[in-house]
């Protein structure tokens, strides 16, 4: 909805979509790096977040979700999706949680990326063979730095119910780091 100066973006929650059930999430971070050599040695080194690429693998991605993420055209009567060279994927936020085990205790870690944009990628298919193989969907997102310089917010929660509530809350408006 807005990208205010010095703050996280705000969202129109009515446009939120569930991509599918999460199978895997893989983040690759690109850092801007600089080094200063003085007196024949490394005197300073700086690595700063430049951008990220987050690949989500989910069990499904419906026609409606595909159109919403990639800016494609959806015929609501037939569920036909048309991808066009002129499609523009909207920027938005992305939140999910994962289950961890620490010293025998289960906990849940929420991840919130306040400014992402889906990238249309490859699609794969396989024929039936001698074993059952389930197909999944991959969606890659470019992760951007926000006007507040934040690019990811995480929180550890003790119950799955709390983790689900935390994920939903992230996209309901302006969120400050820590929840």
């Amino acid at each position: 909805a807005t990208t205010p100066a010095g703050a996280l973006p705000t969202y129109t929650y009515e446009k939120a979509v569930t991509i599918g059930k999460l199978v895997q999430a893989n983040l690759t971070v690109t850092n801007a790096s600089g080094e200063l050599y003085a007196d024949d040695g490394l005197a300073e080194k700086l690595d700063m977040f430049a951008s990220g690429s987050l690949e989500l693998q989910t069990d499904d991605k419906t026609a409606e979700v595909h159109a919403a993420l990639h800016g494609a055209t959806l015929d609501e009567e037939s569920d036909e999706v048309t991808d066009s060279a002129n499609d523009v994927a909207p920027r938005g936020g992305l939140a999910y949680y994962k289950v961890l085990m620490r010293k025998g205790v289960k906990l849940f870690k929420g991840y919130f990326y306040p400014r992402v944009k889906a990238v249309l990628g490859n699609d794969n298919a396989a024929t039936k063979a001698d074993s059952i193989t389930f197909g999944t969907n991959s969606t890659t997102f470019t992760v951007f730095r926000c006007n507040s310089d934040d690019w990811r917010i995480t929180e550890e929660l003790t119950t799955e119910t709390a983790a689900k509530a935390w994920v939903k809350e992230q996209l309901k408006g302006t969120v400050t780091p820590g929840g």
Side-chain angles (χ1 to χ4, degrees), residues 144-159:
F144 297 91
R145 176 187 58 81
C146 298
N147 290 341
S148 62
D149 284 336
D150 300 321
W151 64 273
R152 176 178 64 185
I153 298 167
T154 64
E155 187 166 335
E156 290 183 1
L157 303 129
T158 56
T159 67

Side-chain angles (χ1 to χ4, degrees), residues 17 29 41 47 56 90 94 97 100 114 147 157 160-161 175 177:
V17 295
V29 174
D47 293 299
L56 291 187
L94 176 70
Y97 69 92
L100 301 171
N147 290 341
L157 303 129
E160 189 168 18
T161 301
V175 179

Side-chain angles (χ1 to χ4, degrees), residues 7-179:
L8 294 177
T10 61
Y11 303 96
T12 304
Y13 191 69
E14 294 78 34
K15 293 184 179 181
V17 295
T18 299
I19 299 169
K21 292 179 182 176
L22 186 62
V23 175
Q24 193 170 352
N26 297 304
L27 173 68
T28 303
V29 174
T30 301
N31 288 315
S33 299
E35 296 177 340
L36 172 66
Y37 286 85
D39 290 338
D40 296 328
L42 182 63
E44 297 289 339
K45 179 163 175 51
L46 182 62
D47 293 299
M48 297 175 66
F49 175 83
S51 67
S53 177
L54 179 65
E55 182 186 353
L56 291 187
Q57 196 173 73
T58 56
D59 68 333
D60 191 20
K61 183 166 62 172
T62 65
E64 179 183 35
V65 170
H66 178 88
L69 292 178
H70 299 287
T73 304
L74 171 65
D75 180 324
E76 303 220 3
E77 288 183 24
S78 68
D79 264 356
E80 182 178 87
V81 176
T82 303
D83 290 300
S84 167
N86 297 319
D87 291 344
V88 177
R91 291 187 184 191
L94 176 70
Y96 64 89
Y97 69 92
K98 70 179 182 180
V99 181
L100 301 171
M101 197 70 142
R102 189 174 294 146
K103 297 181 182 178
V105 177
K106 190 187 255 189
L107 64 106
F108 304 85
K109 187 168 186 177
Y111 290 83
F112 174 49
Y113 297 87
R115 193 167 178 224
V116 299
K117 180 178 179 181
V119 179
L120 194 57
N122 299 327
D123 189 18
N124 301 306
T127 188
K128 183 170 85 171
D130 61 350
S131 64
I132 297 173
T133 303
F134 289 97
T136 58
N137 288 282
S138 281
T139 306
T140 301
F141 294 87
T142 300
V143 178
F144 297 91
R145 176 187 58 81
C146 298
N147 290 341
S148 62
D149 284 336
D150 300 321
W151 64 273
R152 176 178 64 185
I153 298 167
T154 64
E155 187 166 335
E156 290 183 1
L157 303 129
T158 56
T159 67
E160 189 168 18
T161 301
K164 288 179 180 180
W166 184 87
V167 163
K168 283 186 174 185
E169 187 62 31
Q170 300 315 299
L171 301 175
K172 284 196 171 184
T174 304
V175 179
T176 56

